[in-house]
């Protein structure tokens, strides 16, 4: 019995090795790449996909060199590009029917990896995303989100279960840390054009269409603060409802060096020792209502 088991195991290993060698040496890279380009166009006519090369990898999967994804209306600014991207299916998940696709990318100076879950119909129904040392200033598409120029090193984990095009129906959680960051404001406030910060840590959950900011802490060169509360999502993003509370405390030595520093300090009691202020943010993303309490 033992001898027969070893014999047939050897046959299986030999078949896998031969298949892998044939796959590597006779892989129709250009033909498959063209097929993927056409498939991406059918999935979403607004997306343009390209890659310098596409090759098989082991364990069985694909490795794309310099993949680029752009919007047809903004082809000059990719919304995602990488030095390389590897994708492979989970063998066990294929046997069970549902498919889990594992991916690993080197992009924006860091590493992005995780997995995507899809059902038997091929539609995505969840994902896990891990980011390590991603340089935000290298992500050229970020200004299109309306947050201005953002810099810093990003790391964290995000989990989501549900249809990606209907976030209000999904559930998820995340823990994100941005270090050595800064924001160049689109509209300067009291002469303040840039907000530098040492660390920005955000923890949140998503359930029943509501993002719960369980913990947001800012430890920066100009300000220190915290934030918590909820964001009630709307299908039209800028109509999402805000219900947030927090505290903010300026670093007087930093503000004194700014053009609008004195005006800002006056909002916090003229720079006295206890200058921490509480505030609330309500309204919507389109029309936020901020006030000190």
């Amino acid at each position: 019995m033992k001898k027969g088991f070893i014999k047939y195991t050897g046959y299986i290993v030999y078949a896998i090795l031969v298949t892998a060698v044939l796959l590597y040496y006779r892989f129709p890279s250009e033909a498959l790449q063209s097929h993927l380009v056409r498939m991406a166009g059918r999935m979403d006519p607004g997306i343009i996909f390209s890659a310098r090369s596409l090759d098989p990898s082991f364990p069985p999967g694909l490795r794309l060199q310099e993949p680029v994804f752009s919007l047809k209306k903004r082809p000059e600014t990719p919304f995602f590009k990488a030095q390389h991207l590897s994708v492979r299916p989970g063998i066990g998940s294929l046997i069970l029917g549902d498919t889990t696709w594992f991916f690993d990318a080197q992009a924006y100076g860091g590493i992005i990896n995780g997995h995507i879950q899809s059902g038997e119909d091929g539609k995505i129904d969840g994902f896990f995303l891990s980011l390590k040392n991603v340089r935000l200033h290298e992500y050229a598409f970020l200004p299109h989100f309306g947050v201005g120029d953002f810099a810093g090193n990003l790391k964290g984990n995000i989990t989501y279960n549900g249809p990606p095009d209907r976030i209000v129906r999904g559930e998820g959680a995340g823990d994100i840390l941005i270090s050595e960051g800064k924001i160049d404001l689109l509209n300067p406030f009291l002469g303040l054009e840039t907000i530098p910060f040492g660390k920005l840590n955000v923890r949140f959950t998503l359930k029943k269409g509501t993002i719960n900011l369980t913990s947001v802490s800012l430890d920066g060169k100009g300000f220190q603060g915290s934030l918590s509360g909820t964001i009630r999502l709307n299908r039209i993003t800028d109509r999402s409802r805000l219900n947030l509370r927090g505290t903010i405390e300026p670093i007087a030595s930093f503000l004194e060096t700014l053009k609008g520093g004195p005006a800002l300090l006056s909002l916090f009691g003229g720079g006295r020792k206890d200058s921490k202020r509480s505030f609330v943010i309500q309204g919507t993303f389109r029309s936020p209502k901020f006030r000190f309490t």
Side-chain angles (χ1 to χ4, degrees):
M1 178 70 179
K2 182 177 179 181
K3 182 177 180 181
F5 175 78
I6 295 176
K7 174 182 176 181
Y8 286 105
T9 301
Y11 286 160
I12 293 171
V13 172
Y14 176 78
I16 292 174
L17 289 176
V18 170
T19 302
V21 171
L22 290 175
L23 183 63
Y24 270 94
Y25 283 96
R26 300 186 61 84
F27 185 72
S29 157
E30 294 182 3
L32 183 54
Q33 182 172 339
S34 297
H35 173 71
L36 288 176
V37 171
R38 293 192 300 271
M39 186 174 67
R42 289 195 300 268
M43 292 174 61
D44 190 335
I47 293 179
I48 303 172
F49 163 75
S50 66
R52 182 170 63 85
S53 65
L54 189 152
D55 301 290
S57 61
F58 192 85
L62 297 174
R63 182 180 176 89
L64 293 79
Q65 295 290 343
E66 300 180 12
V68 177
F69 295 84
S70 305
L71 298 176
K72 286 186 177 179
K73 59 183 179 181
R74 293 194 186 99
E76 73 284 354
T77 308
F79 66 83
F80 179 78
K81 66 178 181 179
Q83 283 74 48
H84 66 77
L85 169 65
S86 297
V87 182
R88 61 181 177 84
I91 303 301
S93 65
L94 286 174
I95 296 173
L96 296 175
D98 295 342
T99 305
T100 300
W101 298 92
F102 294 89
F103 62 89
D104 190 325
Q106 182 177 349
Y108 310 110
I111 301 297
I112 303 174
N113 55 37
H115 62 261
I116 298 173
Q117 299 168 336
S118 63
E120 295 181 357
D121 57 1
K123 293 183 178 180
I124 296 175
D125 55 21
F127 64 83
F128 169 76
L129 181 65
S130 175
L131 305 105
K132 299 177 183 178
N133 301 319
V134 174
R135 301 170 187 166
L136 288 174
H137 67 276
E138 294 187 13
Y139 185 51
F141 196 81
L142 193 61
H144 292 289
F145 293 105
V147 297
D149 289 331
F150 214 120
N153 295 321
L154 171 66
K155 69 175 183 179
N157 300 309
I158 299 175
T159 302
Y160 175 76
N161 293 306
D165 57 340
R166 295 294 302 276
I167 296 180
V168 294
R169 294 171 51 188
E171 296 185 359
D175 186 350
I176 297 172
L177 174 65
I178 301 175
S179 58
E180 299 301 320
K182 73 180 183 71
I183 304 174
D184 293 331
L185 300 177
L186 293 176
N187 299 307
F189 177 69
L190 294 177
L192 188 64
E193 299 178 349
T194 299
I195 299 178
F197 55 86
K199 292 182 180 180
L200 176 63
N201 188 209
V202 180
R203 294 180 180 177
F204 68 90
T205 60
L206 168 64
K207 189 174 183 179
K208 295 182 178 179
T210 298
I211 295 176
N212 182 21
L213 296 175
T214 56
S215 173
V216 179
S217 61
L218 172 66
D219 183 5
K221 300 176 181 178
F223 297 91
Q224 292 181 336
S226 63
L227 183 71
S228 63
T230 61
I231 302 173
R232 182 66 179 176
L233 297 176
N234 188 290
R235 185 175 57 86
I236 302 175
T237 304
D238 60 3
R239 295 182 183 177
S240 298
R241 305 294 303 181
L242 308 174
N243 187 16
L244 307 171
R245 292 181 176 272
T247 62
I248 187 168
E249 181 177 7
I251 307 300
S253 59
F254 169 77
L255 293 184
E256 288 172 352
T257 66
L258 302 177
K259 179 180 178 181
L264 282 169
L265 280 174
S266 67
L267 293 176
F268 296 90
R272 64 176 184 269
K273 186 175 181 180
D274 183 13
S275 57
K276 182 184 293 186
R277 297 288 303 273
S278 299
F279 64 88
V280 298
I281 302 176
Q282 295 178 322
T284 65
F285 280 122
R286 177 185 293 181
S287 302
K289 298 177 180 179
F290 174 93
R291 61 182 175 86
F292 286 114
T293 59

